[in-house]
Amino acid sequence: MSVQEILVINGPNLNLLGQRQPEIYGYDTLASIEEKCSTLAKELGVSVRFGQSNHEGAIIDMIHEARTKSAALIINAGAYTHTSVAIHDALKTFEGYIIELHISNPHAREEFRHTSWISSVADAVMAGAGAYGYELATRLAAEKIKAA
């Protein structure tokens, strides 16, 4: 695929990063994470585009759009990770590289967070690295795009 774009999709409540439960999610904002990833992507010779929605259908629309515009997809679906068969099904239509991302480690939290509808369709899962996980995922996605 000649497309060199990575789409980063963020689900519900991630617009409140830096404010909501900083003891779990840290103090970085989504805007600061996007800025760091954009700088890194440029250094790696790819582009990155961020999207965020608190609405399941809007996230599905982003995935559908990525089918023709993006070579890789990083998704932090938030709570939808544990509940959305619809997002799972949409991700199955994406032919590029998929990384499931979590700021915290869901397996070290409440039991309901131990189940992911995304993991089975993702090429990689990254969890527990805090906001830095976005940079790690960007680096991995760029490497996979360049190797394709």
Side-chain angles (χ1 to χ4, degrees):
M1 180 179 266
S2 62
V3 176
Q4 301 287 301
E5 179 185 89
I6 301 165
L7 175 62
V8 182
I9 298 175
N10 293 279
N13 300 310
L14 290 164
N15 56 307
L16 298 178
L17 282 178
Q19 303 167 37
R20 177 180 168 252
Q21 296 179 283
E23 69 280 4
I24 295 174
Y25 302 110
Y27 291 95
D28 285 297
T29 65
L30 195 55
S32 69
I33 293 168
E34 180 176 359
E35 185 177 316
K36 290 174 188 174
C37 289
S38 293
T39 299
L40 176 61
K42 184 181 259 187
E43 291 171 12
L44 298 172
V46 298
S47 65
V48 68
R49 181 169 51 96
F50 271 61
Q52 187 279 327
S53 181
N54 294 317
H55 305 281
E56 185 177 32
I59 292 168
I60 292 166
D61 289 343
M62 286 184 235
I63 295 166
H64 290 179
E65 181 182 2
R67 294 176 68 226
T68 59
K69 293 185 175 184
S70 305
L73 195 152
I74 299 167
I75 182 164
N76 182 345
Y80 287 137
T81 300
H82 321 292
T83 63
S84 183
V85 174
I87 291 173
H88 164 95
D89 289 349
L91 287 168
K92 286 175 70 172
T93 72
F94 182 76
E95 294 180 3
Y97 195 79
I98 299 172
I99 301 171
E100 176 184 0
L101 175 68
H102 301 283
I103 294 170
S104 68
N105 178 358
H107 300 286
R109 298 182 63 196
E110 302 94 338
E111 189 172 333
F112 74 87
R113 296 184 195 276
H114 299 180
T115 300
S116 169
W117 283 98
I118 295 171
S119 294
S120 66
V121 294
D123 296 294
V125 177
M126 195 164 295
Y132 185 59
Y134 282 88
E135 292 175 69
L136 294 171
T138 299
R139 189 173 293 282
L140 175 59
E143 184 178 301
K144 295 298 182 178
I145 290 170
K146 295 292 188 174

